[in-house]
Amino acid sequence: SVVTKSLIFKLTILFEDDYLAIIHKPAGILVSGNSFKTIANALGQNLKRSTRIDATKPQPVHRLDYATTGILMVGKTSSSIRDLNQLFRAKAIKKTYFAVTIGKMETEGDLNADIDTKTSQTTYKVLATVTSKRFGCLNLVQLQPKTGKRHQLRKHLSGIGNPILGDKTYGKKDLILNGQGLYLHAHALHFKHPFTNNVLTIKDPLPKRFLKLFAAEILKIENNS
């Protein structure tokens, strides 16, 4: 009898063709690494095998932190993995994130603090602010990283005194929110498909925990897209 492998876990697929796929990464799961339960290990069970001559084991072409939710791009052929990596290196893939931050902020700005002695840059825009008994105020912030350093968004926001809600590593000790996860979500990827030449904007809706704080503003974002 044929033994069927049990499903590692089901992934939500936002876009898929013969060359690449774009999926939703849940919180609390590693993109890749030594553990069995990773996005990389689950891809083969969730995606259709490419019919291209250089079809290969699907693999993520960038990273999201363990605690971050959102949109993740995957290559399905050797040439697409190579080309997508190149697009990321050339900063030709535009990434948009949303975060909830703590404390008063300027409406918009550029964050340029070096990370691990390397130049790094993020632009941000505050879309809404609500008052909070515990935190003073909370902001819904749209973020566009111009570089891709590890923990860049978390470090940049913490560095200006506005840590991301739920950030246990870079948050202020007395303002840690437990049990709700990190309020950082990779929302959209905008890029030119390296094989079809179509210009694509793929989006991953904001999680429910964001909606609880900023329902009206998020509705506006979703409707304008």
Side-chain angles (χ1 to χ4, degrees), residues 104-132:
K104 282 198 167 62
M105 289 179 82
E106 298 286 329
T107 326
E108 53 187 61
D110 289 312
L111 306 175
N112 296 305
D114 284 5
I115 291 173
D116 302 328
T117 70
K118 291 192 174 77
T119 306
S120 54
Q121 190 191 8
T122 306
T123 61
Y124 78 87
K125 191 175 183 179
V126 176
L127 302 180
T129 302
V130 291
T131 55
S132 156

PDB file of all heavy atoms in Angstrom, residues 104-132:
ATOM      1  N   LYS A 104       3.767  58.789  20.079  1.00  0.00           N
ATOM      2  CA  LYS A 104       3.575  59.865  19.079  1.00  0.00           C
ATOM      3  C   LYS A 104       4.692  59.820  18.021  1.00  0.00           C
ATOM      4  O   LYS A 104       5.853  59.628  18.341  1.00  0.00           O
ATOM      5  CB  LYS A 104       3.594  61.229  19.779  1.00  0.00           C
ATOM      6  CG  LYS A 104       2.293  61.551  20.489  1.00  0.00           C
ATOM      7  CD  LYS A 104       2.189  63.053  20.776  1.00  0.00           C
ATOM      8  CE  LYS A 104       0.783  63.455  21.190  1.00  0.00           C
ATOM      9  NZ  LYS A 104       0.345  62.780  22.448  1.00  0.00           N
ATOM     10  N   MET A 105       4.264  60.063  16.769  1.00  0.00           N
ATOM     11  CA  MET A 105       5.223  60.031  15.659  1.00  0.00           C
ATOM     12  C   MET A 105       4.987  61.196  14.721  1.00  0.00           C
ATOM     13  O   MET A 105       3.874  61.692  14.625  1.00  0.00           O
ATOM     14  CB  MET A 105       5.019  58.745  14.823  1.00  0.00           C
ATOM     15  CG  MET A 105       5.433  57.468  15.466  1.00  0.00           C
ATOM     16  SD  MET A 105       5.092  56.047  14.367  1.00  0.00           S
ATOM     17  CE  MET A 105       6.534  56.090  13.284  1.00  0.00           C
ATOM     18  N   GLU A 106       6.038  61.574  13.996  1.00  0.00           N
ATOM     19  CA  GLU A 106       5.869  62.488  12.863  1.00  0.00           C
ATOM     20  C   GLU A 106       4.987  61.786  11.831  1.00  0.00           C
ATOM     21  O   GLU A 106       4.977  60.559  11.755  1.00  0.00           O
ATOM     22  CB  GLU A 106       7.232  62.775  12.215  1.00  0.00           C
ATOM     23  CG  GLU A 106       8.246  63.445  13.107  1.00  0.00           C
ATOM     24  CD  GLU A 106       7.948  64.917  13.342  1.00  0.00           C
ATOM     25  OE1 GLU A 106       7.369  65.558  12.431  1.00  0.00           O
ATOM     26  OE2 GLU A 106       8.272  65.418  14.427  1.00  0.00           O
ATOM     27  N   THR A 107       4.262  62.567  11.015  1.00  0.00           N
ATOM     28  CA  THR A 107       3.337  61.967  10.052  1.00  0.00           C
ATOM     29  C   THR A 107       4.028  61.069   9.038  1.00  0.00           C
ATOM     30  O   THR A 107       3.492  60.068   8.615  1.00  0.00           O
ATOM     31  CB  THR A 107       2.586  63.086   9.277  1.00  0.00           C
ATOM     32  OG1 THR A 107       2.404  64.172  10.169  1.00  0.00           O
ATOM     33  CG2 THR A 107       1.248  62.620   8.791  1.00  0.00           C
ATOM     34  N   GLU A 108       5.226  61.488   8.615  1.00  0.00           N
ATOM     35  CA  GLU A 108       5.969  60.639   7.670  1.00  0.00           C
ATOM     36  C   GLU A 108       7.456  60.929   7.798  1.00  0.00           C
ATOM     37  O   GLU A 108       7.854  61.932   8.395  1.00  0.00           O
ATOM     38  CB  GLU A 108       5.503  60.859   6.231  1.00  0.00           C
ATOM     39  CG  GLU A 108       5.491  62.286   5.750  1.00  0.00           C
ATOM     40  CD  GLU A 108       4.850  62.384   4.363  1.00  0.00           C
ATOM     41  OE1 GLU A 108       3.680  62.031   4.206  1.00  0.00           O
ATOM     42  OE2 GLU A 108       5.571  62.811   3.448  1.00  0.00           O
ATOM     43  N   GLY A 109       8.266  60.042   7.247  1.00  0.00           N
ATOM     44  CA  GLY A 109       9.706  60.290   7.339  1.00  0.00           C
ATOM     45  C   GLY A 109      10.531  59.184   6.707  1.00  0.00           C
ATOM     46  O   GLY A 109      10.013  58.170   6.254  1.00  0.00           O
ATOM     47  N   ASP A 110      11.845  59.440   6.681  1.00  0.00           N
ATOM     48  CA  ASP A 110      12.829  58.462   6.196  1.00  0.00           C
ATOM     49  C   ASP A 110      13.687  58.029   7.369  1.00  0.00           C
ATOM     50  O   ASP A 110      14.183  58.880   8.106  1.00  0.00           O
ATOM     51  CB  ASP A 110      13.757  59.095   5.141  1.00  0.00           C
ATOM     52  CG  ASP A 110      13.022  59.341   3.839  1.00  0.00           C
ATOM     53  OD1 ASP A 110      12.346  58.413   3.370  1.00  0.00           O
ATOM     54  OD2 ASP A 110      13.132  60.456   3.293  1.00  0.00           O
ATOM     55  N   LEU A 111      13.866  56.746   7.521  1.00  0.00           N
ATOM     56  CA  LEU A 111      14.710  56.217   8.589  1.00  0.00           C
ATOM     57  C   LEU A 111      15.969  55.645   7.947  1.00  0.00           C
ATOM     58  O   LEU A 111      15.877  54.779   7.076  1.00  0.00           O
ATOM     59  CB  LEU A 111      13.947  55.135   9.367  1.00  0.00           C
ATOM     60  CG  LEU A 111      12.572  55.572   9.907  1.00  0.00           C
ATOM     61  CD1 LEU A 111      11.845  54.410  10.550  1.00  0.00           C
ATOM     62  CD2 LEU A 111      12.712  56.722  10.895  1.00  0.00           C
ATOM     63  N   ASN A 112      17.116  56.154   8.367  1.00  0.00           N
ATOM     64  CA  ASN A 112      18.367  55.801   7.685  1.00  0.00           C
ATOM     65  C   ASN A 112      19.449  55.243   8.605  1.00  0.00           C
ATOM     66  O   ASN A 112      20.604  55.206   8.236  1.00  0.00           O
ATOM     67  CB  ASN A 112      18.939  57.039   6.971  1.00  0.00           C
ATOM     68  CG  ASN A 112      18.011  57.518   5.870  1.00  0.00           C
ATOM     69  OD1 ASN A 112      17.651  56.749   4.991  1.00  0.00           O
ATOM     70  ND2 ASN A 112      17.604  58.774   5.934  1.00  0.00           N
ATOM     71  N   ALA A 113      19.085  54.825   9.823  1.00  0.00           N
ATOM     72  CA  ALA A 113      20.105  54.317  10.754  1.00  0.00           C
ATOM     73  C   ALA A 113      20.744  53.056  10.192  1.00  0.00           C
ATOM     74  O   ALA A 113      20.057  52.166   9.689  1.00  0.00           O
ATOM     75  CB  ALA A 113      19.469  54.030  12.103  1.00  0.00           C
ATOM     76  N   ASP A 114      22.080  52.998  10.265  1.00  0.00           N
ATOM     77  CA  ASP A 114      22.795  51.801   9.795  1.00  0.00           C
ATOM     78  C   ASP A 114      22.399  50.579  10.615  1.00  0.00           C
ATOM     79  O   ASP A 114      22.117  50.692  11.804  1.00  0.00           O
ATOM     80  CB  ASP A 114      24.318  51.996   9.934  1.00  0.00           C
ATOM     81  CG  ASP A 114      24.873  52.915   8.849  1.00  0.00           C
ATOM     82  OD1 ASP A 114      24.063  53.456   8.068  1.00  0.00           O
ATOM     83  OD2 ASP A 114      26.099  53.103   8.798  1.00  0.00           O
ATOM     84  N   ILE A 115      22.389  49.417   9.971  1.00  0.00           N
ATOM     85  CA  ILE A 115      22.138  48.162  10.672  1.00  0.00           C
ATOM     86  C   ILE A 115      23.341  47.272  10.420  1.00  0.00           C
ATOM     87  O   ILE A 115      23.709  47.021   9.269  1.00  0.00           O
ATOM     88  CB  ILE A 115      20.818  47.512  10.204  1.00  0.00           C
ATOM     89  CG1 ILE A 115      19.642  48.382  10.683  1.00  0.00           C
ATOM     90  CG2 ILE A 115      20.692  46.084  10.721  1.00  0.00           C
ATOM     91  CD1 ILE A 115      18.303  47.984  10.166  1.00  0.00           C
ATOM     92  N   ASP A 116      23.973  46.812  11.531  1.00  0.00           N
ATOM     93  CA  ASP A 116      25.199  46.010  11.436  1.00  0.00           C
ATOM     94  C   ASP A 116      26.223  46.696  10.528  1.00  0.00           C
ATOM     95  O   ASP A 116      26.805  46.063   9.633  1.00  0.00           O
ATOM     96  CB  ASP A 116      24.895  44.593  10.927  1.00  0.00           C
ATOM     97  CG  ASP A 116      23.892  43.869  11.816  1.00  0.00           C
ATOM     98  OD1 ASP A 116      23.907  44.146  13.024  1.00  0.00           O
ATOM     99  OD2 ASP A 116      23.090  43.067  11.310  1.00  0.00           O
ATOM    100  N   THR A 117      26.390  47.989  10.746  1.00  0.00           N
ATOM    101  CA  THR A 117      27.328  48.870  10.011  1.00  0.00           C
ATOM    102  C   THR A 117      27.019  48.997   8.520  1.00  0.00           C
ATOM    103  O   THR A 117      27.796  49.539   7.759  1.00  0.00           O
ATOM    104  CB  THR A 117      28.819  48.430  10.183  1.00  0.00           C
ATOM    105  OG1 THR A 117      29.023  47.206   9.474  1.00  0.00           O
ATOM    106  CG2 THR A 117      29.194  48.251  11.636  1.00  0.00           C
ATOM    107  N   LYS A 118      25.863  48.510   8.106  1.00  0.00           N
ATOM    108  CA  LYS A 118      25.506  48.628   6.686  1.00  0.00           C
ATOM    109  C   LYS A 118      24.386  49.645   6.511  1.00  0.00           C
ATOM    110  O   LYS A 118      23.459  49.723   7.306  1.00  0.00           O
ATOM    111  CB  LYS A 118      25.065  47.265   6.134  1.00  0.00           C
ATOM    112  CG  LYS A 118      26.214  46.269   6.032  1.00  0.00           C
ATOM    113  CD  LYS A 118      25.810  45.051   5.230  1.00  0.00           C
ATOM    114  CE  LYS A 118      26.988  44.119   5.005  1.00  0.00           C
ATOM    115  NZ  LYS A 118      27.322  43.331   6.195  1.00  0.00           N
ATOM    116  N   THR A 119      24.455  50.418   5.410  1.00  0.00           N
ATOM    117  CA  THR A 119      23.445  51.411   5.095  1.00  0.00           C
ATOM    118  C   THR A 119      22.089  50.725   4.961  1.00  0.00           C
ATOM    119  O   THR A 119      21.968  49.698   4.303  1.00  0.00           O
ATOM    120  CB  THR A 119      23.779  52.103   3.756  1.00  0.00           C
ATOM    121  OG1 THR A 119      25.104  52.611   3.856  1.00  0.00           O
ATOM    122  CG2 THR A 119      22.824  53.252   3.469  1.00  0.00           C
ATOM    123  N   SER A 120      21.078  51.302   5.603  1.00  0.00           N
ATOM    124  CA  SER A 120      19.728  50.755   5.447  1.00  0.00           C
ATOM    125  C   SER A 120      18.730  51.894   5.486  1.00  0.00           C
ATOM    126  O   SER A 120      18.942  52.895   6.168  1.00  0.00           O
ATOM    127  CB  SER A 120      19.441  49.722   6.525  1.00  0.00           C
ATOM    128  OG  SER A 120      19.677  50.262   7.795  1.00  0.00           O
ATOM    129  N   GLN A 121      17.646  51.728   4.731  1.00  0.00           N
ATOM    130  CA  GLN A 121      16.701  52.835   4.576  1.00  0.00           C
ATOM    131  C   GLN A 121      15.259  52.333   4.526  1.00  0.00           C
ATOM    132  O   GLN A 121      14.958  51.358   3.844  1.00  0.00           O
ATOM    133  CB  GLN A 121      17.014  53.603   3.293  1.00  0.00           C
ATOM    134  CG  GLN A 121      16.233  54.909   3.190  1.00  0.00           C
ATOM    135  CD  GLN A 121      16.333  55.527   1.800  1.00  0.00           C
ATOM    136  OE1 GLN A 121      16.848  54.917   0.881  1.00  0.00           O
ATOM    137  NE2 GLN A 121      15.808  56.727   1.646  1.00  0.00           N
ATOM    138  N   THR A 122      14.409  53.021   5.276  1.00  0.00           N
ATOM    139  CA  THR A 122      12.974  52.725   5.306  1.00  0.00           C
ATOM    140  C   THR A 122      12.219  54.042   5.226  1.00  0.00           C
ATOM    141  O   THR A 122      12.589  55.000   5.911  1.00  0.00           O
ATOM    142  CB  THR A 122      12.593  52.040   6.646  1.00  0.00           C
ATOM    143  OG1 THR A 122      13.408  50.896   6.845  1.00  0.00           O
ATOM    144  CG2 THR A 122      11.124  51.661   6.675  1.00  0.00           C
ATOM    145  N   THR A 123      11.173  54.103   4.407  1.00  0.00           N
ATOM    146  CA  THR A 123      10.295  55.281   4.471  1.00  0.00           C
ATOM    147  C   THR A 123       8.991  54.852   5.149  1.00  0.00           C
ATOM    148  O   THR A 123       8.562  53.706   5.002  1.00  0.00           O
ATOM    149  CB  THR A 123       9.978  55.867   3.078  1.00  0.00           C
ATOM    150  OG1 THR A 123       9.300  54.883   2.321  1.00  0.00           O
ATOM    151  CG2 THR A 123      11.233  56.274   2.334  1.00  0.00           C
ATOM    152  N   TYR A 124       8.404  55.782   5.893  1.00  0.00           N
ATOM    153  CA  TYR A 124       7.166  55.449   6.601  1.00  0.00           C
ATOM    154  C   TYR A 124       6.140  56.573   6.486  1.00  0.00           C
ATOM    155  O   TYR A 124       6.478  57.736   6.254  1.00  0.00           O
ATOM    156  CB  TYR A 124       7.443  55.122   8.082  1.00  0.00           C
ATOM    157  CG  TYR A 124       7.655  56.338   8.953  1.00  0.00           C
ATOM    158  CD1 TYR A 124       6.581  56.997   9.543  1.00  0.00           C
ATOM    159  CD2 TYR A 124       8.946  56.840   9.184  1.00  0.00           C
ATOM    160  CE1 TYR A 124       6.787  58.120  10.341  1.00  0.00           C
ATOM    161  CE2 TYR A 124       9.155  57.953   9.973  1.00  0.00           C
ATOM    162  CZ  TYR A 124       8.062  58.592  10.550  1.00  0.00           C
ATOM    163  OH  TYR A 124       8.261  59.709  11.323  1.00  0.00           O
ATOM    164  N   LYS A 125       4.890  56.183   6.679  1.00  0.00           N
ATOM    165  CA  LYS A 125       3.794  57.146   6.652  1.00  0.00           C
ATOM    166  C   LYS A 125       2.756  56.701   7.682  1.00  0.00           C
ATOM    167  O   LYS A 125       2.319  55.540   7.668  1.00  0.00           O
ATOM    168  CB  LYS A 125       3.172  57.142   5.256  1.00  0.00           C
ATOM    169  CG  LYS A 125       2.208  58.258   4.989  1.00  0.00           C
ATOM    170  CD  LYS A 125       1.763  58.210   3.533  1.00  0.00           C
ATOM    171  CE  LYS A 125       0.844  59.375   3.242  1.00  0.00           C
ATOM    172  NZ  LYS A 125       0.403  59.388   1.855  1.00  0.00           N
ATOM    173  N   VAL A 126       2.377  57.601   8.592  1.00  0.00           N
ATOM    174  CA  VAL A 126       1.348  57.280   9.596  1.00  0.00           C
ATOM    175  C   VAL A 126      -0.025  57.507   8.963  1.00  0.00           C
ATOM    176  O   VAL A 126      -0.334  58.603   8.504  1.00  0.00           O
ATOM    177  CB  VAL A 126       1.519  58.148  10.867  1.00  0.00           C
ATOM    178  CG1 VAL A 126       0.388  57.874  11.865  1.00  0.00           C
ATOM    179  CG2 VAL A 126       2.865  57.885  11.524  1.00  0.00           C
ATOM    180  N   LEU A 127      -0.838  56.461   8.923  1.00  0.00           N
ATOM    181  CA  LEU A 127      -2.154  56.554   8.284  1.00  0.00           C
ATOM    182  C   LEU A 127      -3.265  56.867   9.282  1.00  0.00           C
ATOM    183  O   LEU A 127      -4.297  57.398   8.920  1.00  0.00           O
ATOM    184  CB  LEU A 127      -2.487  55.236   7.566  1.00  0.00           C
ATOM    185  CG  LEU A 127      -1.483  54.791   6.499  1.00  0.00           C
ATOM    186  CD1 LEU A 127      -1.920  53.482   5.875  1.00  0.00           C
ATOM    187  CD2 LEU A 127      -1.321  55.848   5.411  1.00  0.00           C
ATOM    188  N   ALA A 128      -3.064  56.495  10.539  1.00  0.00           N
ATOM    189  CA  ALA A 128      -4.098  56.737  11.560  1.00  0.00           C
ATOM    190  C   ALA A 128      -3.476  56.573  12.941  1.00  0.00           C
ATOM    191  O   ALA A 128      -2.491  55.848  13.111  1.00  0.00           O
ATOM    192  CB  ALA A 128      -5.240  55.749  11.387  1.00  0.00           C
ATOM    193  N   THR A 129      -4.070  57.235  13.906  1.00  0.00           N
ATOM    194  CA  THR A 129      -3.615  57.133  15.300  1.00  0.00           C
ATOM    195  C   THR A 129      -4.833  57.000  16.205  1.00  0.00           C
ATOM    196  O   THR A 129      -5.833  57.690  15.995  1.00  0.00           O
ATOM    197  CB  THR A 129      -2.801  58.389  15.707  1.00  0.00           C
ATOM    198  OG1 THR A 129      -1.689  58.520  14.807  1.00  0.00           O
ATOM    199  CG2 THR A 129      -2.260  58.307  17.121  1.00  0.00           C
ATOM    200  N   VAL A 130      -4.754  56.103  17.178  1.00  0.00           N
ATOM    201  CA  VAL A 130      -5.824  55.988  18.187  1.00  0.00           C
ATOM    202  C   VAL A 130      -5.197  56.144  19.568  1.00  0.00           C
ATOM    203  O   VAL A 130      -4.037  55.795  19.774  1.00  0.00           O
ATOM    204  CB  VAL A 130      -6.582  54.630  18.109  1.00  0.00           C
ATOM    205  CG1 VAL A 130      -7.420  54.534  16.850  1.00  0.00           C
ATOM    206  CG2 VAL A 130      -5.642  53.444  18.220  1.00  0.00           C
ATOM    207  N   THR A 131      -5.965  56.695  20.508  1.00  0.00           N
ATOM    208  CA  THR A 131      -5.440  56.806  21.872  1.00  0.00           C
ATOM    209  C   THR A 131      -5.624  55.469  22.575  1.00  0.00           C
ATOM    210  O   THR A 131      -6.543  54.715  22.268  1.00  0.00           O
ATOM    211  CB  THR A 131      -6.153  57.925  22.666  1.00  0.00           C
ATOM    212  OG1 THR A 131      -7.556  57.676  22.616  1.00  0.00           O
ATOM    213  CG2 THR A 131      -5.858  59.294  22.091  1.00  0.00           C
ATOM    214  N   SER A 132      -4.714  55.201  23.486  1.00  0.00           N
ATOM    215  CA  SER A 132      -4.731  53.935  24.202  1.00  0.00           C
ATOM    216  C   SER A 132      -4.379  54.194  25.656  1.00  0.00           C
ATOM    217  O   SER A 132      -3.418  54.912  25.941  1.00  0.00           O
ATOM    218  CB  SER A 132      -3.710  52.988  23.564  1.00  0.00           C
ATOM    219  OG  SER A 132      -3.278  52.003  24.473  1.00  0.00           O
TER     220      SER A 132
END
